[in-house]
């Protein structure tokens, strides 16, 4: 995603992840999944893309994103409305991440329904 954004506009950006899964050429930081290694308000815009369903505490990840963001926090996440959609998400996401990370990524899947937002 970072490379596609860079093609649209020359901006500085930094990606983060909880492991050495870097698939892009952009600056990249590995963090502990709890505290982002940036000062408050470091970024004008923060994007969390299809990651919250892999987090044990998604609300804490959102809190950290808010802390390091000055202006805009964009969140893109998969949700399901019925058991068939949940099944598809589990199968597709699990297989895709296993393939993308050579089977080395722990792939917890905690998808939520749209009405479950903010609930643990």
């Amino acid at each position: 995603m970072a490379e596609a954004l860079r093609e649209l506009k020359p901006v500085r950006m930094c990606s983060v992840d909880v492991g050495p899964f870097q698939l892009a050429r952009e600056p990249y930081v590995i963090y502990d999944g709890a505290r982002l290694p940036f000062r408050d308000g470091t970024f004008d815009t923060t994007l969390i893309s299809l990651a919250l369903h892999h987090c044990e505490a998604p609300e804490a990840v959102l809190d950290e994103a808010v802390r390091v963001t000055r202006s805009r926090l964009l969140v893109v996440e998969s949700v399901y409305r019925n058991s068939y959609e949940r099944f598809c998400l589990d199968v597709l996401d699990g297989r895709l991440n296993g393939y993308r990370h050579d089977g080395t990524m722990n792939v917890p899947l905690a998808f939520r329904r749209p009405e479950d937002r903010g609930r643990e």
Side-chain angles (χ1 to χ4, degrees), residues 2-105:
E3 290 179 45
L5 290 171
R6 174 150 332 271
E7 288 180 17
L8 295 173
K9 186 170 184 171
V11 295
R12 293 184 312 154
M13 60 183 76
C14 179
S15 299
V16 298
D17 207 336
V18 294
F21 307 119
Q22 184 174 5
L23 301 175
R25 293 177 288 233
E26 299 298 324
Y28 183 84
V29 172
I30 298 172
Y31 88 115
D32 64 7
R35 176 116 175 128
L36 289 165
F38 306 107
R39 290 176 296 188
D40 294 1
T42 297
F43 301 102
D44 290 328
T45 302
T46 299
L47 169 65
I48 300 176
S49 180
L50 302 172
L52 292 176
H53 62 272
H54 293 295
C55 301
E56 288 183 31
E59 289 79 8
V61 173
L62 286 169
D63 288 345
E64 272 298 282
V66 168
R67 182 184 65 78
V68 302
T69 304
R70 274 193 300 270
S71 299
R72 291 172 299 272
L73 173 58
L74 309 172
V75 179
V76 177
E77 187 54 70
S78 297
V79 295
Y80 67 97
R81 294 170 293 195
N82 55 55
S83 59
Y84 176 72
E85 288 180 356
R86 173 62 195 248
F87 171 78
C88 290
L89 286 172
D90 286 343
V91 170
L92 293 174
D93 192 88
R95 288 188 181 165
L96 177 62
N97 280 295
Y99 171 75
R100 288 181 65 214
H101 300 95
D102 296 324
T104 61
M105 180 181 177

